[in-house]
Amino acid sequence: MAPEIEKLIEAAIVELAEGPHWDAETQSLYFVDVTGQYIHKYVPSTKKHTKARIGKNVSFIIPVQGKNDQFVISTDREITLITWDGESEEVSNLQKLYEVDENIETAINDGKCDPSGRLWAGIEHILGNPSGLYGYVKLN
């Protein structure tokens, strides 16, 4: 049997869809529109799609385990904690946790968490500056 492929989001809705993250607890797919500056949530069982504008380039969204409506996102060079109900078009409580490579033209490209909760983020170079990989230890 050939695999079945389903187009989830129309191209007109996103400029650059990246950073998909499946949340088993909510049975939802989170992803970002990097250059469109939105975070997205898609629920396959209902086909419901919601999004919220961030206002900066964003390369990943990861739910915070055990914290309802809290997510870690990247915004340009920053790791940011946000509150989002997954429904509204606005986020609240943006809290900068860390900024990488201050005063150097780089940007966070992608990020994932390992099973112990550490965040690993890749850095892309801009204008010839060095790339890198960062590990961010979770806060208790």
Side-chain angles (χ1 to χ4, degrees):
M1 178 190 297
E4 187 176 320
I5 297 177
E6 174 185 0
K7 185 175 186 179
L8 304 178
I9 307 296
E10 290 298 321
I13 295 175
V14 294
E15 292 177 24
L16 181 58
E18 291 207 8
H21 178 88
W22 178 254
D23 183 31
E25 186 176 318
T26 64
Q27 296 291 292
S28 301
L29 178 68
Y30 292 95
F31 65 97
V32 300
D33 181 355
V34 178
T35 55
Q37 304 179 340
Y38 282 91
I39 54 174
H40 295 258
K41 177 182 178 183
Y42 178 74
V43 182
S45 62
T46 62
K47 300 195 183 305
K48 184 173 185 176
H49 170 242
T50 54
K51 65 182 181 176
R53 181 156 173 76
I54 298 301
K56 294 181 179 180
N57 287 354
V58 57
S59 64
F60 67 78
I61 177 171
I62 301 171
V64 176
Q65 186 175 13
K67 303 281 187 175
N68 198 24
D69 298 343
Q70 286 195 343
F71 300 85
V72 173
I73 65 170
S74 66
T75 53
D76 297 323
R77 290 193 314 256
E78 297 176 358
I79 305 293
T80 306
L81 179 67
I82 63 166
T83 301
W84 182 43
D85 62 8
E87 299 291 325
S88 61
E89 295 180 6
E90 305 262 336
V91 299
S92 60
N93 302 326
L94 280 86
Q95 176 188 353
K96 179 172 119 177
L97 299 175
Y98 187 77
E99 183 174 355
V100 298
D101 295 338
E102 291 183 49
N103 304 316
I104 299 176
E105 288 296 318
T106 58
I108 298 171
N109 182 44
D110 201 0
K112 299 290 181 201
C113 283
D114 67 20
S116 70
R118 290 177 297 194
L119 173 65
W120 298 93
I123 308 301
E124 67 177 317
H125 65 87
I126 300 172
L127 303 174
N129 289 304
S131 298
L133 182 67
Y134 284 77
Y136 187 85
V137 179
K138 69 179 178 179
L139 299 174
N140 292 328

